Amino acid sequence: MPIASFTSQEANANLRSDRACRWPDGRVSGARLEGVATMSIKPSFSFTTEDRVMTIGSCFAREIETALIAHGFDLPARQVEIPRHERTTQTANDILNKYTVHSMENEIRWAFTGIDHAPEDFYLRAGDDLWHDAQMVANLKPATLERLAERREMVSAMMRQLPTCRVVVVTLGLAEAWFDIKTGLYLNAMPPLPAIAAEPDRFRLDILSPDEILASLERIHGLLTEYGHPDVRMLVTVSPVPFKASFSGKDALIANTYAKSAQRAAAEIFARNHDTVDYFPSYEIVTLSDRKIAYELDNIHVTPPTVARIMAAVVKAYVPGAEIPTLPGAKSTRSPAPNTFKGLQIQAKDLMKERDYDGAVLAYTSLLFRFAKDMTPDLEAQIRLNLGVALLRLRLTEEGTVQLEMADKLDVGNARTTYKLGLGYARLGMHEKALPMFREALRLKPEEADHSWRLGAQLIRLGKVEEGVSHAARALEIDPDHAAARDLVAQYR
């Protein structure tokens, strides 16, 4: 059965109605496929920044949230925050990442009906007295049953705000879904290895069909109709983020193409089934764009400027009269591509200012990987210095020290490099090696209070208290408000 039918007159009228119906011919003008691809978007509804937006889906949904916040939208998902020590990423609400459509469906249902499973069956063992919630992301650290219940309530409380959200954005992620035979539930991600080892026959991996994905989407629509906003509208998209690996045994490129195609087909049919649902082509925009612009070096994550461009297109199409702000890295269609030298350099600098050191490490590493062979020694030294500092701030001391050693060899006599290298050695317990670094940093830049203070602290650590205190006192002469130097002098003088 076709998903749509047109008379011959309608078909020809459709072709004439929009030049975008014709594939961009590079012999004439390939402009729509240059840089970030552009699409003809025809919304069936509109909304305003006064309408709350619920975002449900994979890690790409978190990127969408960042862009929507910049446009002034109110997002319940941004109220959720997991402590840094319980997660492995910089994203405070990545507990919300939903990779399988069934897990999205589960989360909405449970928010309003509760979970009909005993905790010992619903949660999976991940070690002694530690458990894992397989409906959440796999990179959350295992915890007690009590803590897992608290996390689950945080997510359910957010979902219970659906009645206040006129717009629901659903981002489809994976078509490879793990199934828990014991509970009869599809999971969000792979179960932890201890759980598989303990019950090897409990789980299986299913490659979902377009019909299964569509059926789950229809159930989500039913839940939103029952529990959601009385005038709810859905915007469905397919995440352009591929999986890191396929469990199917197939080439990841082939398996990912099937997964995205299946979800894309289901999303198309779903949107055609409902007047209140639109499909938005995030997947097409990214995958038809220049990969060096659209994707980070890992070939997985979409660059922030590309996400900003996508969401600017959403707002322009769906929020009539809205002002489109100039976003970082997306000032115009001619702004530096984030994976060009200039684009990466700007991105890295901005990330350091924002204290997103994970992102800065990726950007500086990308710069070196792509462009080191064309750099002057001074430029390479500066980039390795910045990379080393970012690594130190992530407490990746050994890796950071290696970069700083390389920077020091490329640019001998740089006071900042020498000082930071001393910090690296000190953190590694190489105190005798750190001391000459701090002495040299002070010699190169004696007017820097930190150099005098740090040398003083290192000398005291090595038992040279009198000399150390004198340097700390010197730091106070340079900067009377230097708290660390003041404490050192007060403690040892």
Side-chain angles (χ1 to χ4, degrees), residues 54 76 79-80 95-96 98 106-115 122-123 133 135-136 148-163:
M54 181 68 77
Q79 298 171 6
V80 176
I95 189 176
L96 300 178
K98 289 291 179 186
N106 291 341
E107 212 65 71
I108 297 171
R109 178 179 291 108
W110 293 333
F112 298 96
T113 67
I115 299 172
F122 181 80
Y123 299 118
D133 186 339
Q135 297 293 331
M136 302 295 183
L148 262 57
E150 291 172 357
R151 291 175 181 171
R152 172 143 296 288
E153 176 54 27
M154 290 173 64
V155 176
S156 292
M158 182 208 71
M159 285 293 181
R160 285 196 289 272
Q161 296 184 55
L162 275 166

Side-chain angles (χ1 to χ4, degrees), residues 153-175:
E153 176 54 27
M154 290 173 64
V155 176
S156 292
M158 182 208 71
M159 285 293 181
R160 285 196 289 272
Q161 296 184 55
L162 275 166
T164 70
C165 297
R166 182 169 173 263
V167 181
V168 178
V169 179
V170 173
T171 306
L172 300 174
L174 299 180

Side-chain angles (χ1 to χ4, degrees), residues 299-371:
N299 278 325
I300 295 174
H301 294 96
V302 181
T303 59
T306 303
V307 178
R309 291 279 300 282
I310 291 170
M311 298 317 297
V314 170
V315 172
K316 183 177 180 180
Y318 283 87
V319 188
E323 182 180 351
I324 308 299
T326 299
L327 300 172
K331 295 179 180 178
S332 73
T333 57
R334 298 298 179 186
S335 61
N339 285 349
T340 63
F341 180 83
K342 186 176 180 182
L344 279 169
Q345 202 173 30
I346 293 171
Q347 185 185 68
K349 185 177 179 181
D350 289 343
L351 290 166
M352 287 293 281
K353 286 182 179 178
E354 296 164 7
R355 299 184 180 181
D356 182 353
Y357 301 121
D358 283 319
V361 166
L362 177 62
Y364 284 125
T365 303
S366 299
L367 275 168
L368 291 168
F369 180 83
R370 291 177 179 269
F371 305 109

Side-chain angles (χ1 to χ4, degrees), residues 203-439:
F203 308 99
R204 71 168 190 256
L205 178 74
D206 288 351
I207 310 299
L208 300 177
S209 70
D211 286 344
E212 289 174 300
I213 297 165
L214 175 60
S216 185
L217 283 170
E218 292 290 355
R219 290 192 293 271
I220 288 173
H221 187 271
L223 289 168
L224 294 179
T225 301
E226 182 175 0
Y227 299 112
H229 192 283
D231 189 33
V232 67
R233 295 291 185 269
M234 291 182 68
L235 201 56
V236 180
T237 189
V238 174
S239 170
V241 177
F243 42 44
K244 291 183 179 179
S246 172
F247 290 97
S248 67
K250 290 185 176 292
D251 183 312
L253 300 178
I254 298 171
N256 183 69
T257 300
Y258 167 75
K260 299 303 182 183
S261 299
Q263 292 173 102
R264 176 64 187 91
E268 181 70 22
I269 297 170
F270 178 58
R272 288 178 178 271
N273 285 348
H274 301 281
D275 293 338
T276 57
V277 179
D278 275 9
Y279 173 78
F280 189 83
S282 301
Y283 175 72
E284 290 85 345
I285 291 172
V286 174
T287 56
L288 290 172
S289 296
D290 183 339
R291 292 192 68 84
K292 291 183 178 180
I293 294 174
Y295 285 99
E296 299 284 6
L297 188 63
D298 61 6
N299 278 325
I300 295 174
H301 294 96
V302 181
T303 59
T306 303
V307 178
R309 291 279 300 282
I310 291 170
M311 298 317 297
V314 170
V315 172
K316 183 177 180 180
Y318 283 87
V319 188
E323 182 180 351
I324 308 299
T326 299
L327 300 172
K331 295 179 180 178
S332 73
T333 57
R334 298 298 179 186
S335 61
N339 285 349
T340 63
F341 180 83
K342 186 176 180 182
L344 279 169
Q345 202 173 30
I346 293 171
Q347 185 185 68
K349 185 177 179 181
D350 289 343
L351 290 166
M352 287 293 281
K353 286 182 179 178
E354 296 164 7
R355 299 184 180 181
D356 182 353
Y357 301 121
D358 283 319
V361 166
L362 177 62
Y364 284 125
T365 303
S366 299
L367 275 168
L368 291 168
F369 180 83
R370 291 177 179 269
F371 305 109
K373 65 181 183 297
D374 300 320
M375 293 179 189
T376 64
D378 287 351
L379 180 56
E380 183 180 346
Q382 184 61 44
I383 290 170
R384 291 194 183 278
L385 165 59
N386 293 334
L387 173 57
V389 170
L391 288 164
L392 289 185
R393 289 177 181 172
L394 288 170
R395 296 294 172 181
L396 298 172
T397 307
E398 188 171 349
E399 295 90 335
T401 302
V402 169
Q403 294 298 326
L404 292 166
E405 287 176 332
M406 296 171 71
D408 190 48
K409 290 177 181 177
L410 289 164
D411 184 16
V412 178
N414 183 301
R416 186 165 184 260
T417 303
T418 306
Y419 175 71
K420 296 295 184 182
L421 185 53
L423 284 179
Y425 287 146
R427 288 184 187 175
L428 292 172
M430 303 166 68
H431 299 301
E432 294 291 349
K433 204 168 182 178
L435 183 60
M437 294 293 105
F438 291 136
R439 287 195 188 279

Side-chain angles (χ1 to χ4, degrees), residues 466-486:
E466 186 175 347
E467 185 184 359
V469 170
S470 69
H471 283 290
R474 172 60 183 152
L476 281 175
E477 292 175 9
I478 299 169
D479 179 8
D481 295 324
H482 198 295
R486 185 169 57 249

